[in-house]
Amino acid sequence: METFKNCLLLVLIFSGFQLKAQTAEEATTKNVEAKNYVFVASSANPLNATDINNVMSRMPGYTGGGNINLAGSNYSLTVTSDSLVSYLPYYGRSYTPKIGDPNDSGIKFKSKDFTYKSTQNKKGGWLILINPKDVKDNYNLTLSITKSGRATLSVVSNSQQSISFEGNITEPELKKKK
């Protein structure tokens, strides 16, 4: 009888994991199809990893490998049907200096005028091409999303070396009304 209870308990636990996985996939599908999601960056992968390693190796806690950990940093790309908000860091070589605000570094912009093309692949994920038209720099964003919500964002610019980010797709937080 004790063995039966243990088996039943295991079945319930594993079925709970399966339900959670299905809801994560369903949530990702719903958000991507509605153009209402946030890409939260967990790591950055600069194109010129050798130069980055030379600089970053002098900083405490850097482990090397060209992959920069961004966990807990709130770097994100927010996509809605009518706007695009990017708050991402940049590591690499810039061909054109940013003049003006010294805090104006990284890939930070807000756009209301952008092209958005989404295609679903055979495995159920998405490939999304985004080109903002009303920002100072010319950015081409390519977002590859899996069914489970893992994503890779590649950013190509005329004024900077390419960079890619790894992360997850989440639902946007609802803004509290005052």
Side-chain angles (χ1 to χ4, degrees), residues 4 10 17 33 35 46 57 84 100 111 122 126 132 140 151 176:
F4 178 73
L10 284 174
F17 286 135
E33 289 178 352
K35 284 193 209 176
S57 64
L84 182 66
S111 176
K122 293 177 183 177
W126 296 266
N140 293 318
K176 295 180 182 177

Side-chain angles (χ1 to χ4, degrees), residues 151-171:
T152 302
L153 173 66
S154 298
V155 181
V156 177
S157 170
N158 289 343
S159 62
Q160 297 171 325
Q161 284 182 328
S162 300
I163 187 168
S164 66
F165 300 91
E166 298 289 326
N168 292 307
I169 298 297
T170 64
E171 273 189 74

Side-chain angles (χ1 to χ4, degrees), residues 43-104:
S43 67
N45 303 301
L47 178 67
N48 196 354
T50 305
D51 288 345
I52 299 300
N53 278 334
N54 290 338
V55 172
M56 296 295 287
S57 64
R58 296 180 181 101
M59 303 189 120
Y62 182 66
T63 59
N67 187 342
I68 300 168
N69 186 0
L70 302 175
S73 62
N74 295 324
Y75 288 119
S76 64
L77 174 72
T78 304
V79 177
T80 62
S81 60
D82 64 347
S83 69
L84 182 66
V85 179
S86 174
Y87 181 72
L88 295 167
Y90 181 74
Y91 306 96
R93 185 168 290 152
S94 184
Y95 305 121
T96 308
K98 295 199 177 196
I99 299 172
D101 185 8
N103 296 324
D104 187 24

Side-chain angles (χ1 to χ4, degrees), residues 1-14:
M1 189 65 170
E2 188 66 29
T3 306
F4 178 73
K5 287 181 185 178
N6 289 340
C7 289
L8 184 59
L9 182 64
L10 284 174
V11 168
L12 290 173
I13 289 172
F14 285 119

